[in-house]
Amino acid sequence: MYYLCPMGKLTDSLNMASKLSPYKIWNGSKVLFSYQLSRITGTPNHMGLPVSISFEPTTSCNLRCPQCPSGLRQFTRDTGMLKSDFFKEVIDEFARHLAYLTFYFQGEPYLNPGFLEMVKYASSKRIYTATSTNAHYLTPEVAKKTVESGLDRLIISIDGTTQETYSSYRIGGKLDKVLEGAKNVAEWKRKLKSKTPHLIFQFLVVKANEHQVPEVKALAKEIGIDEVRLKTVQIYDYENGSPLIPEQQKYSRYKMDASGKYAIKNKLLNHCWRMWNSCVITWDGNVVPCCFDKDASHPMGNVKEQPFKQLWNNDNYRRFRQSLLKSRKEIDICKNCTEGTKVWG
């Protein structure tokens, strides 16, 4: 990651810390202890409740990105919009122990008409809120409401500094709208004298745009973005390579082996912090292990059918955690995991 303003990092960290309570710290300590105990014993032990969750506002998206099931319209699961009443019920159950809410899974959050009202509700519960957007809907009015909602972090996907490179991956997207939306939010932050949201440009590095990494940093600084993050592209069928894979190894999630086939660079160790400290809740209430289960193929249960506290340690979760501790490489959604392959700009 590349911080354009060191004070921005400090401000964001202090803001996150301000959301904590003694109970949240105690809960997080229990989660961390049980995770380390599970690693040592090879047996899933779990104490506490999630420190962080991802909640899906919608599966809909206006773009057609080639490695995204939402963009490709290739979900096998039900698709739809998160309802505000249901969201509030879940947040009320989570509020005491939850420190961080990622308001994103699949789809474009701003397509949900109730999105910012739900952000405001979570913020009122002193939960740190973050989302990721392609920024095509950040008109001046929506940008103002975004700042006023209390959203703590806004990640804007910008995968090129020219329309040609941007649209080579963000199919159907307009770079000028992305830049306009980013400027609108930065301007309303200044007008309202708000320290939030912490603005991040997320740059998905592919072969077509890897030469533009210095340019996106300069562009972010000009607009008033707080941070630039470089992200490796996920390829579903990566063994035979892809035109998307960058030439520079530091920007790639994959490397070629002696046989000429591609393999993921990081070693899949038999443990994963995500399975102890967080989970994903889909728009219709299914709880899945993490953000790599994009099609919700490993449902642990549904929060519309049972309280989360019962679900968090049910048989499905215990079996999944046990299989992960035994042989993580055999779990399909783990095979493309970016843990250990983050790009630091």
Side-chain angles (χ1 to χ4, degrees):
M1 64 186 69
Y2 178 76
Y3 288 100
L4 297 158
C5 174
M7 284 303 296
K9 176 183 179 182
L10 177 61
T11 300
D12 185 47
S13 298
L14 290 174
N15 177 40
M16 192 180 300
S18 72
K19 311 282 185 178
L20 297 177
S21 66
Y23 183 82
K24 289 179 181 179
I25 294 171
W26 169 239
N27 175 67
S29 300
K30 290 193 292 183
V31 173
L32 178 60
F33 174 77
S34 61
Y35 168 64
Q36 297 292 4
L37 180 63
S38 300
R39 288 184 60 181
I40 293 169
T41 63
T43 301
N45 296 282
H46 206 292
M47 293 178 282
L49 292 161
V51 174
S52 169
I53 65 167
S54 294
F55 219 134
E56 182 177 56
T58 181
T59 51
S60 301
C61 188
N62 54 308
L63 303 185
R64 290 185 172 270
C65 304
Q67 293 294 317
C68 173
S70 182
L72 293 171
R73 281 53 168 178
Q74 289 184 348
F75 286 120
T76 59
R77 63 182 171 102
D78 292 338
T79 58
M81 296 274 183
L82 177 64
K83 301 300 183 184
S84 180
D85 290 346
F86 166 58
F87 170 77
K88 290 177 180 179
E89 288 176 9
V90 175
I91 290 301
D92 287 345
E93 183 182 355
F94 275 69
R96 191 178 180 212
H97 60 85
L98 190 65
Y100 196 110
L101 169 63
T102 300
F103 221 143
Y104 173 77
F105 179 32
Q106 299 300 300
E108 168 52 49
Y110 281 88
L111 285 173
N112 187 319
F115 170 62
L116 290 176
E117 284 301 317
M118 287 186 274
V119 169
K120 184 178 291 187
Y121 188 79
S123 296
S124 74
K125 300 290 184 178
R126 299 195 61 75
I127 300 168
Y128 185 98
T129 54
T131 196
S132 180
T133 178
N134 60 48
H136 280 65
Y137 299 98
L138 293 175
T139 62
E141 180 184 3
V142 173
K144 181 175 186 255
K145 289 181 179 179
T146 296
V147 177
E148 292 174 335
S149 73
L151 182 70
D152 294 295
R153 177 174 294 190
L154 181 63
I155 301 170
I156 296 173
S157 296
I158 176 170
D159 306 328
T161 58
T162 63
Q163 175 61 25
E164 181 181 6
T165 52
Y166 173 78
S167 61
S168 66
Y169 186 83
R170 298 286 169 182
I171 296 172
K174 302 292 183 183
L175 179 61
D176 57 349
K177 296 199 74 171
V178 177
L179 298 178
E180 180 185 354
K183 290 175 183 177
N184 287 338
V185 179
E187 182 178 355
W188 274 111
K189 277 183 66 177
R190 289 190 291 269
K191 285 182 177 179
L192 297 174
K193 297 180 181 179
S194 176
K195 295 179 180 179
T196 58
H198 181 76
L199 296 176
I200 299 174
F201 266 0
Q202 182 168 273
F203 194 80
L204 186 69
V205 186
V206 294
K207 187 173 182 179
N209 68 14
E210 59 184 313
H211 63 287
Q212 294 180 338
V213 169
E215 296 174 18
V216 77
K217 293 177 181 178
L219 186 59
K221 186 174 183 179
E222 176 187 333
I223 292 173
I225 303 300
D226 299 300
E227 180 184 342
V228 174
R229 289 187 175 183
L230 308 181
K231 184 179 180 181
T232 59
V233 64
Q234 174 180 330
I235 310 296
Y236 284 101
D237 185 18
Y238 57 79
E239 289 88 353
N240 295 314
S242 166
L244 293 172
I245 297 177
E247 292 183 357
Q248 298 180 64
Q249 272 292 300
K250 65 179 179 178
Y251 296 142
S252 178
R253 192 178 299 193
Y254 312 97
K255 63 180 179 181
M256 186 182 293
D257 60 24
S259 69
K261 297 286 187 180
Y262 280 85
I264 195 163
K265 288 196 296 190
N266 67 307
K267 185 178 180 180
L268 287 179
L269 302 175
N270 292 331
H271 55 82
C272 180
W273 170 234
R274 292 183 183 183
M275 293 305 101
W276 271 256
N277 87 314
S278 65
C279 68
V280 174
I281 304 177
T282 63
W283 69 273
D284 54 351
N286 281 319
V287 175
V288 297
C290 76
C291 61
F292 278 85
D293 191 6
K294 300 181 189 304
D295 212 19
S297 57
H298 296 274
M300 300 291 110
N302 191 295
V303 290
K304 290 185 176 182
E305 299 170 1
Q306 65 180 130
F308 183 84
K309 289 181 181 179
Q310 296 177 14
L311 186 157
W312 186 231
N313 277 309
N314 66 14
D315 290 342
N316 290 338
Y317 248 123
R318 285 196 293 270
R319 282 194 294 267
F320 192 88
R321 292 184 181 118
Q322 182 63 72
S323 63
L324 185 148
L325 292 168
K326 182 180 179 181
S327 183
R328 186 175 166 209
K329 66 182 180 180
E330 294 181 13
I331 302 174
D332 56 346
I333 62 172
C334 295
K335 293 179 180 179
N336 232 327
C337 184
T338 53
E339 289 299 304
T341 61
K342 292 182 176 66
V343 175
W344 305 102

